[in-house]
Amino acid sequence: MFTIVSADFLAENIKKFEIEAPRIAKKRKAGQFVMLRATDNGERIPLTIADSDPEKGTITIIAQGAGKTTRELNRLEAGDTISDIVGPLGTPSHIENFGTAVSIGGGVGTAIAYPTAVALKEAGNYVITINGARTKEMVILENEMKSVSDEAYITTDDGSYGFHGFVTQKLQELIDSGKKIDYVLAIGPIPMMKAVADVTRPYGINTVVSLNPIMVDGTGMCGGCRVTVDNEIKFACVDGPEFDAHKVDFTNLNDRNKIYLKEEQSSETEYKHRCNLDTQS
Amino acid sequence: MAIPRQEMPAQDPLERIQNFKEVNLGYTPELAIKEAMRCIQCKDPVCIKGCPVNIKIDEFIDLVANGDFTGAARKIKEDNVLPAICGRVCPQEDQCEKECILGKKHKPVAIGHLERFVADYERESGNVAVPHVKPATGRKIAVIGSGPAGLSCANDLAQFGHKVVVFEALHELGGVLMYGVPEFRLPKEIVRTEIEGLKSMGVEFQTDVVVGRSVTIDELMEEEGFDAVFIGVGAGLPWFMGIPGENLVGVLSANEFLTRVNLMKAYDFPESDTPVFDCKGKNVAVFGGGNTAMDAVRTAKRLGAEHAYIVYRRSEAEMPARIEEIHHAKEEGIEFLLLNNPVEFVGNDQQWLTGVKLVKMELGEPDDSGRRRPVAVEGSEYILPIDMAVISIGNGSNPLIGQTTPDIEFSKRDTIVVDINTMATSKENVYAGGDIVTGGATVILAMGAGRTAAKAIHEKLMGESHGFDEW
């Protein structure tokens, strides 16, 4: 059992948890994740480690309520427990002083981009962050991102805050302004990561994405998370989750992630129904 | 023979494909005694040599014949900590029962069925004895992996009086016994109960620890004070075939399919949160001919598959699966497409699997394994329409231990190199056994390796302080 130390909403539906997990806190590096099972009948889901405090023995994860498990998770409060958390998993981000590094986070992907942005800054990079959200209320980690950035930009799809448009438009603007960019990290929904890869490809900018396939064990024993990179099969949980964006088959990843759409929807509908019953009684 | 071999009662095939309950129902005391009386109590019981952990088969069967079932269970436990499991999943026809003298002219004594019976009898009686544990030695040993190798090693080390901590990456203990072998062959409650026995002996278990990621072997020894380490992490890395279309939606490894259903209880979705491919009314093909393939195809049938196929490139005679499992599969309506080899998976615009292109094979000259090599029949390709494909062609080693502990020597096949007499690896005080050493093998061989290692670890650790403990 893993105890939640604190639990706070960062935006509607996006919650940040600090959880006691001393082994993971001690070992984790930027880019790594945990598999989490909230309850005894629960499924295992992957979540990135956003931060850690080795002395306190805690890790931070940020979850967006997107389906049954994450909605259930987001009802937990400080003092509640989580059945299982295993990690740190995955290959840590490859960090070096690239020169100018752009870290792009889309939606809750910002939480995943954050630890790597910190590591890029610590490695001496000139760090530019582009933090994209649908609308103003959905912007997360603005101050955290600013604190590690030499330049920090917020974009909103509806223009309610910061730059009006997509993260890719901001990136294109930076490239067009003649800024020399040596490295781009993009984390967010698959269409966004694919779009970033398309922007940087003609310029040959080293671009890395953190992939989000379906995972079960997260330790390399099932291949549920396999992705096609440079026409080879890779297991994202062991070989990744970060890969060269210009070599990833995003279409295949997108299609593979739809396999349980019907089951996910029925599970969520049932869960919402139960929650409504709870409120009634 | 006056008495024929007593058959094991089983659930009716038509009924059992509707559920995940155990197929074999077990002997009654009467059947067990009758079967035990068939044993002719050889002076030199060769059956014992066929058992990788050398259970005193003649002695325990004699106790069964005399109605002392509890005594028989305890006799087995002197050599085997997981008899209810081994009695169910061991390939006895290739081990103890293969050696049985009766088998020369008649059918061998059903040693596996009897082992299972006495273990179940003891467990159900509620009167399970805790094995004797020697006084504490003060030595601390880490066992990595809670599968059959790790459990048997932990058991013996605990009995020697050592402090044992077992580290498991998954949230449940038991390794392949939990995630691989289905409920209908091995009820999970039995695995849990047999592991409870180890806890009562003082063995500590830590789940959710991935050695190589959460902690390394060097850290366990240098920072956490472990005097020795046993690696029993198995062979859990699924092989794929490398043919076109293998990444289509609906192509899964047997490990993934079985983990979802067994460990995550996806058969109980949505009561259990983990989904599994909806097999109802669909066509499912499982590629391979081993026990894992049989487990997967029988699971698909239970999930409602209209057609559940085994696609195997050789003939039935070459199938590595147990005869009993093949027999059960046939009874359940599994369709065997023998001498068929997949060359490509085909899908629709959304990249969902719609079929597999198969080529017919014929058997040619024997290959390195001594089995006749299958050769493709030119121009025999055809498309079999399927909705889900499960790949079950074997497993390799997970690379994590090797990557994080470079001073352990691995073979070209990615297995750990050990001294077969002691199971010692190239790294001081680190031992290994089970599938990580042999490649995919059997539960009982893994347990045998765990025992060998436990004995060697004990001798090594206690030998160094020779004499002082006696003072």
Side-chain angles (χ1 to χ4, degrees):
Chain A
M1 289 292 215
F2 296 77
T3 305
I4 298 171
V5 177
S6 70
D8 303 290
F9 276 104
L10 298 180
E12 188 192 344
N13 235 350
I14 299 179
K15 202 166 186 177
K16 174 175 148 180
F17 298 92
E18 199 184 349
I19 307 164
E20 273 177 19
R23 273 196 195 279
I24 307 172
K26 190 176 154 198
K27 289 289 282 191
R28 79 100 196 180
K29 291 196 170 72
Q32 289 187 298
F33 64 97
V34 292
M35 293 300 300
L36 171 154
R37 196 173 73 114
T39 62
D40 276 351
N41 264 335
E43 60 178 339
R44 297 166 65 99
I45 60 161
L47 288 167
T48 298
I49 308 164
D51 208 347
S52 67
D53 185 335
E55 271 158 36
K56 261 172 85 182
T58 60
I59 60 167
T60 300
I61 57 162
I62 295 172
Q64 178 169 28
K68 183 187 172 184
T69 299
T70 43
R71 284 185 202 283
E72 201 170 41
L73 190 63
N74 282 1
R75 283 173 58 149
L76 298 179
E77 301 295 346
D80 290 340
T81 56
I82 290 170
S83 292
D84 297 280
I85 300 180
V86 57
L89 301 172
T91 303
S93 304
H94 171 74
I95 303 287
E96 58 175 272
N97 189 347
F98 297 101
T100 298
V102 179
S103 163
I104 304 175
V108 76
T110 306
I112 310 172
Y114 172 66
T116 308
V118 172
L120 286 167
K121 184 70 204 162
E122 282 167 0
N125 286 281
Y126 182 86
V127 174
I128 302 173
T129 58
I130 307 176
N131 182 354
R134 211 172 62 236
T135 184
K136 186 180 176 185
E137 284 70 39
M138 300 300 287
V139 173
I140 59 167
L141 302 180
E142 185 181 359
N143 291 330
E144 284 86 347
M145 278 300 195
K146 257 190 192 152
S147 71
V148 297
S149 310
D150 295 283
E151 293 173 41
Y153 301 97
I154 306 280
T155 70
T156 50
D157 297 359
D158 62 1
S160 53
Y161 190 59
F163 177 88
H164 184 179
F166 296 137
V167 290
T168 40
Q169 290 169 289
K170 185 72 215 173
L171 176 65
Q172 187 68 57
E173 201 182 275
L174 289 172
I175 294 171
D176 292 344
S177 73
K179 201 167 279 283
K180 186 182 162 299
I181 296 171
D182 304 291
Y183 173 87
V184 171
L185 169 77
I187 302 172
I190 296 166
M192 184 214 97
M193 294 194 283
K194 182 177 187 302
V196 169
D198 290 341
V199 167
T200 59
R201 187 176 287 112
Y203 306 96
I205 300 171
N206 177 9
T207 304
V208 169
V209 283
S210 179
L211 301 184
N212 52 352
I214 294 173
M215 291 188 187
V216 185
D217 61 288
T219 61
M221 62 169 259
C222 87
C225 67
R226 63 196 195 279
V227 290
T228 310
V229 182
D230 209 11
N231 293 316
E232 269 181 51
I233 290 185
K234 298 279 180 193
F235 288 9
C237 71
V238 171
D239 303 315
E242 293 186 4
F243 292 100
D244 181 340
H246 297 147
K247 292 178 176 166
V248 170
D249 183 341
F250 287 105
T251 313
N252 184 246
L253 172 62
N254 202 37
D255 288 331
R256 285 183 58 81
N257 274 5
K258 289 180 186 157
I259 180 167
Y260 299 116
L261 221 50
K262 194 179 74 184
E263 287 80 5
E264 284 162 9
Q265 277 160 359
S266 75
S267 183
E268 191 183 354
T269 311
E270 168 134 340
Y271 176 68
K272 277 185 187 159
H273 177 68
R274 276 190 215 171
C275 292
N276 286 339
L277 282 178
D278 282 357
T279 349
Q280 301 292 319
S281 55
Chain B
M1 285 301 288
I3 316 171
R5 177 170 158 129
Q6 300 301 300
E7 293 307 318
M8 171 83 76
Q11 263 199 85
D12 179 72
L14 284 176
E15 187 185 310
R16 73 188 188 229
I17 56 170
Q18 312 283 335
N19 66 55
F20 276 83
K21 283 186 244 160
E22 197 172 11
V23 168
N24 284 334
L25 300 171
Y27 276 162
T28 58
E30 295 72 34
L31 284 175
I33 291 176
K34 215 168 166 188
E35 181 62 27
M37 286 169 64
R38 294 182 64 230
C39 173
I40 56 172
Q41 293 287 318
C42 301
K43 260 201 182 115
D44 177 22
V46 279
C47 52
I48 296 178
K49 297 192 185 95
C51 171
V53 295
N54 308 124
I55 292 173
K56 298 171 203 88
I57 295 168
D58 55 333
E59 294 181 38
F60 104 74
I61 290 185
D62 191 38
L63 289 162
V64 177
N66 288 306
D68 182 3
F69 306 139
T70 308
R74 283 168 197 173
K75 182 57 69 182
I76 295 175
K77 282 194 175 166
E78 289 174 12
D79 301 291
N80 181 350
V81 270
L82 311 171
I85 294 166
C86 291
R88 285 172 167 82
V89 303
C90 273
Q92 290 98 6
E93 63 273 20
D94 293 327
Q95 295 175 334
C96 54
E97 293 181 19
K98 187 182 185 182
E99 304 296 331
C100 176
I101 297 296
L102 286 189
K104 305 273 183 248
K105 277 195 169 170
H106 309 279
K107 285 189 174 172
V109 174
I111 300 166
H113 290 354
L114 289 171
E115 180 184 27
R116 169 195 159 129
F117 168 76
V118 298
D120 287 355
Y121 183 90
E122 189 198 29
R123 187 181 68 255
E124 284 158 14
S125 73
N127 182 21
V128 179
V130 176
H132 178 69
V133 170
K134 291 198 174 130
T137 60
R139 302 300 158 91
K140 208 171 132 187
I141 298 137
V143 170
I144 307 172
S146 68
L151 292 178
S152 82
C153 186
N155 173 79
D156 285 10
L157 288 169
Q159 288 195 18
F160 286 131
H162 303 299
K163 170 71 196 167
V164 182
V165 183
V166 180
F167 295 95
E168 167 58 47
L170 290 171
H171 58 267
E172 284 253 30
L173 302 168
V176 75
L177 305 171
M178 289 311 282
Y179 75 77
V181 186
E183 191 77 26
F184 58 80
R185 225 158 48 86
L186 176 64
K188 303 305 155 216
E189 267 322 298
I190 292 175
V191 182
R192 290 196 189 96
T193 310
E194 296 215 321
I195 291 172
E196 280 306 310
L198 295 182
K199 289 184 187 165
S200 67
M201 289 162 55
V203 175
E204 183 187 330
F205 289 90
Q206 289 193 23
T207 51
D208 296 324
V209 179
V210 184
V211 173
R213 291 278 196 223
S214 311
V215 66
T216 63
I217 289 176
D218 287 322
E219 285 165 349
L220 286 174
M221 298 179 86
E222 287 157 22
E223 294 170 24
E224 299 195 21
F226 286 97
D227 298 296
V229 174
F230 174 75
I231 305 171
V233 296
L237 179 88
W239 284 331
F240 287 89
M241 295 184 287
I243 61 175
E246 209 162 19
N247 264 12
L248 288 167
V249 184
V251 183
L252 281 71
S253 72
N255 276 10
E256 177 181 356
F257 183 57
L258 291 172
T259 298
R260 284 179 178 274
V261 179
N262 298 330
L263 179 73
M264 306 309 296
K265 296 180 283 214
Y267 59 83
D268 204 17
F269 181 85
E271 283 311 305
S272 184
D273 288 340
T274 305
V276 68
F277 190 88
D278 183 1
C279 296
K280 277 185 212 75
K282 306 278 179 57
N283 300 327
V284 177
V286 176
F287 298 85
N291 286 316
T292 309
M294 295 304 143
D295 288 345
V297 78
R298 296 172 69 199
T299 296
K301 192 75 188 176
R302 282 162 174 72
L303 292 172
E306 168 85 29
H307 291 283
Y309 304 103
I310 280 285
V311 180
Y312 184 55
R313 65 196 184 113
R314 303 181 195 249
S315 70
E316 188 172 327
E318 285 84 19
M319 278 199 166
R322 291 188 66 191
I323 291 163
E324 185 187 19
E325 305 310 325
I326 296 172
H327 173 68
H328 278 155
K330 285 183 175 171
E331 282 185 338
E332 291 168 8
I334 304 304
E335 296 159 65
F336 285 68
L337 297 177
L338 302 167
L339 290 165
N340 271 270
N341 200 31
V343 288
E344 183 181 351
F345 290 108
V346 289
N348 63 16
D349 294 350
Q350 281 80 49
Q351 294 204 44
W352 280 71
L353 180 72
T354 56
V356 59
K357 187 190 275 183
L358 299 174
V359 61
K360 298 211 167 149
M361 311 293 280
E362 54 189 17
L363 292 180
E365 294 299 305
D367 64 11
D368 295 347
S369 72
R371 298 183 296 181
R372 292 175 65 193
R373 187 194 300 274
V375 186
V377 178
E378 221 172 298
S380 65
E381 286 93 349
Y382 69 106
I383 302 249
L384 176 74
I386 53 169
D387 305 286
M388 178 171 81
V390 179
I391 315 288
S392 181
I393 56 165
N395 292 302
S397 311
N398 191 303
L400 272 182
I401 296 275
Q403 283 168 4
T404 53
T405 319
D407 46 346
I408 292 177
E409 190 194 337
F410 278 76
S411 74
K412 277 185 199 145
R413 297 187 308 134
D414 291 329
T415 53
I416 294 182
V417 177
V418 296
D419 171 342
I420 52 159
N421 296 314
T422 61
M423 309 311 283
T425 70
S426 57
K427 186 174 170 74
E428 178 89 18
N429 291 333
V430 176
Y431 296 72
D435 285 2
I436 187 64
V437 169
T438 56
T442 63
V443 167
I444 191 72
L445 280 174
M447 290 182 56
R451 296 202 83 187
T452 305
K455 188 164 169 281
I457 291 169
H458 177 67
E459 282 168 2
K460 173 86 190 295
L461 293 184
M462 303 320 283
E464 280 178 3
S465 60
H466 181 72
F468 291 104
D469 288 340
E470 274 78 19
W471 281 89

